[in-house]
């Protein structure tokens, strides 16, 4: 069920991109999301694509794996392309069929917008493919650190995120177990009338909620027993180390922004 | 209704990089009306095997015959549902499957899924709470207001309510205290006798296997390591020890006595009673000899 | 006599909205380096005691003293640093995303500097034989391995006492042995006091002393030998005597004049041999 979806799936490795500080990767991706909108002509899109492909190549993740992950969004890209193809009425008419006309501007817009969308997804996927969820959490906690002064519970939020990540596999296992137990009592999870389907879902969700509450309660007790009393006075085992490599990647991203700004029309 | 496994193999996530072979070359027969124990370490393939007994899993190769029905890898899930009524499975910690507002509704849930009329299901629920050792007044209570042991009994009643021809128990006593354990095991043994219910018990307890089962299937690293009566299986403790399994305490005692006394004890010593008799006999022989 | 490391005196406790006491008038002590087992059936109040001992619950009446000081708000965090608890469900106490993160959790809570943390984590995993699992995620570990990680998490704090709250009841026989062997080694070699709460008398037979709980009260207390003499009384409160004890009493009923007071198969064999060779 989760096998086709690569968004959020980490691929272990030791490439340059894997070794980047998660804060650097978060900042780059965040900046990239804004930078993408600077591109508006053939030259700028070429530069942007080059940068993105080099970044992806550096991750050493097999192209086939990345492509497989992009497949599910291809129809969205195609739809965007068609939409622009038919709706944009700029430049010369290239093709006419009855009341439909395709303009040169439409083709250009269609290609640009779908390319932009693809590049965005590719870049954000790179973040999750090369960074473990817990590293992302550490990065977010560190970047949001200054907000602690404004009484934003950054530490608590990060801990919540980390614990959720820790329990995802446990809950998936639990879900499967409950589904099997209910299937043994004649529940059909694969079909049936609407009312039967509702009943099936209820027979799965109620036990799942109850056991999750119990887990949460026991976990809270265990955490208290292990001396947890909030973020105050706590040291951290997971440490992020900012390296020259991280700075150089940030600089490269800044250069990209500058270049696009100069070359855009 | 017999269940026959022929060359059964099961591979999880077949045709993917995460493929893992959990069962191979499994050939076993579970005869109608018997009490069979399946023993083996965690990861030996026991739980994969038991899910084939009612079509929750289908073999990736080989066949499983459940009565008249033959299951292969290509059977569609729809055709498997009737099997679930014939073979009831009590999973480990079955109380985790409870979800209805009342005990009565929860016990009726299974039968209603198979189209049993509501009145009849309710009548059965009333019978079953008593059978599993609970008071009739729990029927109206929420299952979540009961103690852990009581919840487990309700869940077991929910599986028995399907009136299966065979019941599969996956460590039904895990987490219970000694008294609860004994009561549940005795209850299933009684059911097996009184209703000729074919029973399959998956367990870590060699004592339970020795005491209750007619036959034991030993699983090891995904395949059947041995199958036979308790007497046959526990005859050779060293062989079992080699795959990290133990024998019942009584058999251990017998073995120690034989070694220390330099004698052979003919009794299989599967229960405390048998062992006590065997030792008694050993002592009386000595006295006879002395005279 | 040296001052006990743990003493509880006349403790009463009941859960909110309950009229009956879960624990009433309970008193016992534990010496440093001792292995004390608290046994009882489910619902006998034994797990409530575990929670009282590290201040997760507070007694309605009575005093709990640890390390010579009464347990209260001012001492509770110090107690939690020196007393580690292993809970029943291996999954619901594993906080970290990996083994090393989980062991680090209690160290982080106690503000241990990072360099020292790394050192302590390595020392702790070695003691539970989990060195090669440092970067493993919990769902790739067996139940017994998770419980050993929980023990490592306690060891990293260099504790004086470990409480096992039915820590082996959800494990398979192999996992149970792994955990008990680990704890026994720590008890012998490092003189860590162990309080094990269990309904398994076979496990309790390995303790130095046993406290038997029934209906929230202490029913008996003493060495295993002393306690197992209660025989049928223990079975009546839902416990199961160790095999050798049961076997022995069955043999006595059959007229074999066995002595009382052994609880391993080896000891029973010796006893039988002595009788046999006398004939």
């Amino acid at each position: 069920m989760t096998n086709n979806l690569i968004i959020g799936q980490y691929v272990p490795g030791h490439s340059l991109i894997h070794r980047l500080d998660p804060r650097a990767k978060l900042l780059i991706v965040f900046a990239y999301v804004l930078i993408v909108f600077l591109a508006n002509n053939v030259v700028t899109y070429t530069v942007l694509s080059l940068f993105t492909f080099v970044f992806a190549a550096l991750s050493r993740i097999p192209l086939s794996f990345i492509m497989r992950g992009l497949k599910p969004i291809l129809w969205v890209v195609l739809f965007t392309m068609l939409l622009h193809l038919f709706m944009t009425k700029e430049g010369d008419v290239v093709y006419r069929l009855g009341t439909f006309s395709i303009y040169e501007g439409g083709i250009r817009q269609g290609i640009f917008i779908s390319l932009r969308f693809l590049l965005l997804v590719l870049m954000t996927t790179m973040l999750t493919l090369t960074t473990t969820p817990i590293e992302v959490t550490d990065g977010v906690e560190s970047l949001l650190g200054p907000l602690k002064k404004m009484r934003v519970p950054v530490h608590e939020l990060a801990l919540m995120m980390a614990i959720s990540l820790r329990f995802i596999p446990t809950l998936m296992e639990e879900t499967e177990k409950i589904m099997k137990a209910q299937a043994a009592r004649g529940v059909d999870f694969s079909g049936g009338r609407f009312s039967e389907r509702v009943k099936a879902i209820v027979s799965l969700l109620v036990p799942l909620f109850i056991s999750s509450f119990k887990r949460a309660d026991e976990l809270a007790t265990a955490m208290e027993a292990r001396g947890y009393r909030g973020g105050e006075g706590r040291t951290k085992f997971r440490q992020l180390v900012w390296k020259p490599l991280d700075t150089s990647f940030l600089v490269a991203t800044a250069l990209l922004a500058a270049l696009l700004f100069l070359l855009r029309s | 209704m017999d269940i026959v496994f022929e060359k059964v193999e099961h591979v999880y996530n077949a045709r993917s990089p995460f493929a893992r072979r959990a069962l191979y070359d499994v050939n076993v027969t579970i005869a109608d009306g018997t009490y069979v124990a399946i023993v083996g370490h965690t990861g030996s393939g026991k739980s994969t095997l038991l899910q084939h007994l009612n079509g929750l899993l289908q073999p990736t190769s080989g066949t499983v015959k459940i009565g008249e029905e033959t299951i292969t890898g290509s059977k569609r899930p729809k055709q498997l549902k009737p099997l679930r009524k014939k073979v009831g499975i009590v999973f480990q910690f079955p109380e985790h499957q409870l979800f209805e507002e009342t005990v009565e509704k929860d016990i009726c849930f299974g039968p209603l899924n198979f189209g049993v009329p509501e009145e009849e299901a309710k009548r059965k629920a009333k019978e079953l709470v008593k059978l599993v050792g609970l008071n009739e007044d729990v029927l109206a209570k929420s299952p979540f207001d009961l103690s852990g042991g009581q919840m487990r009994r309700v869940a077991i009643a929910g599986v028995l309510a399907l009136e299966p021809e065979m019941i599969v128990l996956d460590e039904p006593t895990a987490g219970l205290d000694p008294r609860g354990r004994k009561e549940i095991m005795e209850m299933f043994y009684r059911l097996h006798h009184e209703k000729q219910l074919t029973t399959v018990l998956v367990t870590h307890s060699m004592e339970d296997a020795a005491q209750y089962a007619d036959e034991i299937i030993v699983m090891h690293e995904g395949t059947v390591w041995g199958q036979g009566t308790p007497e046959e299986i526990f005859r050779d403790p060293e062989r079992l020890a080699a795959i990290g399994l133990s024998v019942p305490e009584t058999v251990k005692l017998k073995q120690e006595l034989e070694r220390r006394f330099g004698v052979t004890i003919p009794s299989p010593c599967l229960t405390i009673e048998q062992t006590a008799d065997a030792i008694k006999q050993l002592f009386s022989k000595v006295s006879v000899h002395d005279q | 006599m040296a001052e006990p490391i743990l003493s509880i005196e006349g403790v009463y406790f009941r859960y909110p909205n309950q009229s009956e006491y879960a624990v009433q008038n309970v008193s016992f002590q534990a010496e440093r380096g001792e292995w004390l087992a608290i046994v009882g059936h489910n619902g006998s109040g034994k797990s409530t005691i575990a929670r009282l001992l590290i201040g997760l619950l507070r007694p309605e009446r009575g005093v709990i003293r640890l390390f010579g000081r009464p347990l209260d708000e001012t001492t509770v965090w110090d107690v939690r640093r020196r007393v580690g608890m292993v809970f029943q469900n291996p999954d619901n106490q594993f906080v970290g995303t990996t083994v090393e993160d989980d062991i680090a959790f209690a160290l982080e809570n106690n503000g241990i500097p990072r360099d020292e943390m790394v050192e302590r984590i390595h020392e702790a995993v070695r003691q539970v034989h989990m060195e090669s699992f440092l970067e493993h995620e919990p769902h790739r570990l067996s139940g017994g391995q998770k419980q050993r990680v929980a023990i490592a998490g306690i060891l990293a704090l260099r504790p004086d006492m470990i409480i096992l709250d039915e820590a082996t009841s959800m494990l398979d026989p192999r996992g149970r042995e792994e955990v008990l062997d680990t704890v026994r080694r720590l008890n012998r070699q490092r003189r860590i006091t162990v309080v094990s709460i269990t309904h398994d008398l076979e496990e309790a037979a390995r303790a130095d002393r046993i406290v038997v709980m029934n209906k929230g009260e202490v029913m008996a207390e003493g060495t295993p030998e002393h306690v197992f003499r209660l025989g049928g009384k223990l079975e009546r409160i839902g416990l199961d005597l160790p095999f050798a004890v049961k076997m022995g009493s069955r043999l006595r009923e059959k007229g074999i004049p066995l002595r009382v007071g052994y609880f391993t198969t080896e000891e029973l064999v010796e006893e039988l041999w002595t009788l046999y060779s006398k004939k």
Side-chain angles (χ1 to χ4, degrees), chain B residues 41-42 175-179 204 249-250 253 256-257 260-261 272-273 275-277 280 283 286-287 290, chain C residues 41-42 170 172-174 199 236-238 240 243 247 250-251 254 265 269-270 272-273 275-276 279:
Chain B
H41 276 300
T42 312
L176 296 182
D177 62 15
R179 180 191 288 159
H204 284 298
E249 291 288 346
T250 48
L253 175 64
E256 287 294 314
L257 285 174
R260 193 79 169 83
F261 287 40
I272 290 204
E273 202 48 46
T275 315
D277 286 335
K280 175 90 185 158
F283 273 72
V286 175
S287 336
D290 282 352
Chain C
H41 59 89
N42 290 354
M170 286 177 74
D172 61 13
R174 190 186 272 179
H199 53 232
R236 273 194 289 285
I237 62 163
D240 196 13
F243 166 71
M247 194 71 232
R250 195 74 198 89
L251 285 170
K254 294 220 173 248
T265 301
V269 170
E270 276 318 302
L272 282 166
W273 176 241
L275 269 181
Y276 189 77
K279 286 214 169 190

Side-chain angles (χ1 to χ4, degrees), chain C residues 130-146:
Chain C
M130 290 285 288
E131 301 93 315
S132 46
F133 294 90
L134 270 179
E135 284 167 21
H136 272 56
E137 289 153 6
H139 63 273
R140 289 167 62 204
L141 303 177
S142 72
Q145 289 173 328
K146 278 180 220 166

Side-chain angles (χ1 to χ4, degrees), chain A residues 45-67:
Chain A
Y45 267 107
T46 313
V47 172
L48 185 68
S49 308
L50 264 173
F51 176 89
T52 315
F53 291 136
V54 168
F55 194 88
L58 285 176
S59 76
R60 298 279 186 89
I61 289 172
L63 190 68
S64 60
F65 191 86
I66 300 176
M67 290 318 269

Side-chain angles (χ1 to χ4, degrees), chain A residues 215 226 234-235 237-238, chain C residues 92 101-102 109 112 114:
Chain A
R215 272 185 206 287
R226 296 176 71 183
R234 240 176 147 250
T235 43
F237 171 65
R238 306 189 65 90
Chain C
N92 298 354
D101 285 309
D102 190 63
N109 293 337
I112 311 285
R114 186 174 189 277

Side-chain angles (χ1 to χ4, degrees), chain A:
Chain A
M1 149 169 97
T2 47
N3 282 349
N4 304 322
L5 211 70
I6 65 160
I7 297 173
Q9 228 181 61
Y10 171 70
V11 179
H14 296 281
S15 74
L16 273 187
I17 308 297
H18 280 89
R19 291 199 317 261
L20 276 182
D21 190 297
R23 287 170 298 187
K25 281 189 263 191
L26 280 164
L27 287 173
I28 291 169
V29 170
F30 187 67
Y32 185 92
V33 171
L34 302 175
I35 292 172
V36 160
F37 292 94
L38 286 174
N40 65 352
N41 57 23
V42 177
V43 185
T44 43
Y45 267 107
T46 313
V47 172
L48 185 68
S49 308
L50 264 173
F51 176 89
T52 315
F53 291 136
V54 168
F55 194 88
L58 285 176
S59 76
R60 298 279 186 89
I61 289 172
L63 190 68
S64 60
F65 191 86
I66 300 176
M67 290 318 269
R68 209 178 69 203
L70 292 182
K71 233 186 250 165
I73 61 148
L74 275 184
W75 69 269
V76 183
V77 175
L78 204 72
F79 180 73
T80 323
M81 175 111 92
L82 288 176
L83 206 68
H84 281 277
L85 212 56
F86 292 121
M87 304 305 269
T88 315
K89 297 182 167 42
E90 271 172 36
D92 302 330
V93 174
V94 182
Y95 186 77
R96 192 189 295 273
L97 184 86
T99 51
F100 279 113
S101 327
I102 291 175
Y103 297 82
E104 190 212 322
I107 296 179
R108 208 182 48 221
Q109 270 312 91
I111 292 176
F112 281 175
I113 302 291
S114 2
L115 188 61
R116 176 191 290 171
F117 187 66
L118 249 165
L119 290 175
L120 266 176
V121 174
L122 182 61
M123 199 62 179
T124 37
T125 317
M126 287 318 298
L127 173 70
T128 52
L129 285 178
T130 63
T131 325
T132 58
I134 191 69
E135 279 180 313
V136 176
T137 310
D138 290 338
V140 171
E141 181 178 7
S142 167
L143 288 175
L144 296 183
L147 292 181
K148 277 183 197 161
K149 291 205 183 77
M150 295 161 63
R151 298 190 169 267
V152 178
V154 176
H155 159 77
E156 283 76 6
L157 289 173
L159 188 72
M160 260 167 61
M161 244 170 96
I163 289 176
S164 315
L165 292 171
R166 137 83 186 90
F167 275 94
I168 286 172
T170 311
L171 288 181
M172 302 251 285
E173 230 170 73
E174 178 117 11
T175 307
E176 207 189 309
K177 272 190 204 155
I178 297 170
M179 279 175 84
K180 289 212 162 127
Q182 304 300 26
R185 292 208 281 168
V187 174
D188 190 356
F189 284 99
S190 59
R193 279 179 285 125
F194 180 72
S195 63
E196 282 170 1
R197 278 180 186 232
V198 170
K199 191 81 179 178
I201 303 257
V202 169
S203 78
L204 169 64
L205 287 186
V206 172
L208 202 57
F209 271 122
I210 287 171
S211 89
S212 302
F213 279 127
K214 192 164 170 250
R215 272 185 206 287
D217 189 46
E218 287 182 13
L219 190 71
T221 308
M223 284 171 68
E224 201 187 331
R226 296 176 71 183
Y228 180 74
R229 42 179 156 166
E232 206 75 19
R234 240 176 147 250
T235 43
K236 263 187 89 62
F237 171 65
R238 306 189 65 90
Q239 274 186 343
L240 300 172
V241 190
W242 191 268
K243 302 169 291 295
L245 179 76
D246 301 304
T247 314
S248 44
F249 266 85
L250 273 191
V251 170
T253 312
L255 285 177
L256 172 74
L259 202 59
L260 291 190
F261 196 74
L262 289 174
L263 294 174
R264 76 196 300 258
S265 46

Side-chain angles (χ1 to χ4, degrees), chain C residues 5-72:
Chain C
I5 191 167
L6 158 76
S7 85
I8 94 170
E9 269 173 48
V11 164
Y12 285 78
F13 176 83
R14 60 184 150 185
Y15 287 95
N17 310 320
Q18 299 278 316
S19 54
E20 267 181 59
Y21 283 99
V23 156
Q24 51 182 330
N25 197 18
V26 167
S27 308
F28 61 81
Q29 300 185 335
E31 309 273 318
R32 180 174 294 276
E34 187 178 32
W35 180 316
L36 178 73
I38 300 178
V39 303
H41 59 89
N42 290 354
S44 61
K46 60 187 192 306
S47 278
T48 306
I49 290 182
R51 282 164 170 67
L52 288 164
L53 288 183
I54 53 168
L56 291 169
L57 300 173
R58 257 187 244 157
E60 198 175 293
R61 259 193 285 161
V63 189
I64 297 171
R65 293 174 74 83
L66 280 140
F67 316 111
R69 285 184 303 166
L71 180 65
D72 56 32

